[in-house]
C-alpha cells in the first residue's frame, strides 16, 4: 500500500476527495414474466434467476 512521505494539508485532502463522483449504473432492459424492466447490468442474472424482484 502506498504511504505518503509527508503530511497532506486538510485543504489539499478535501480538494482531492471532492473530485470523486459516483456514476449512475448502466441500465439494461430485461423481460421478466412478459414485462420489460430496466435493471442495472451487473444484476441481470440475479433478476433472471428470480433472486431479485423488480419494483413496480
Amino acid at each position: 500500500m502506498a504511504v505518503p512521505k509527508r503530511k497532506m494539508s486538510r485543504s489539499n485532502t478535501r480538494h482531492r476527495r471532492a473530485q470523486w463522483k459516483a456514476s449512475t449504473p448502466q441500465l439494461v432492459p430485461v423481460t421478466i414474466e412478459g414485462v420489460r424492466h430496466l435493471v442495472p447490468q451487473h444484476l441481470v442474472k440475479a433478476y433472471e434467476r428470480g433472486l431479485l424482484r423488480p419494483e413496480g
Side-chain angles (χ1 to χ4, degrees):
M1 188 171 118
V3 178
K5 203 162 199 172
R6 295 173 188 238
K7 184 176 181 177
M8 192 177 222
S9 71
R10 179 179 292 175
S11 175
N12 282 343
T13 301
R14 290 181 178 166
H15 279 283
R16 176 177 44 82
R17 287 181 181 162
Q19 299 303 313
W20 183 88
K21 295 190 177 49
S23 58
T24 58
Q26 183 179 358
L27 298 178
V28 178
V30 176
T31 305
I32 302 169
E33 298 174 359
V35 181
R36 193 167 177 234
H37 299 281
L38 289 175
V39 298
Q41 186 175 8
H42 68 281
L43 296 176
V44 170
K45 286 187 180 180
Y47 280 104
E48 288 174 346
R49 293 177 184 164
L51 299 174
L52 295 173
R53 293 184 183 162
E55 61 272 337

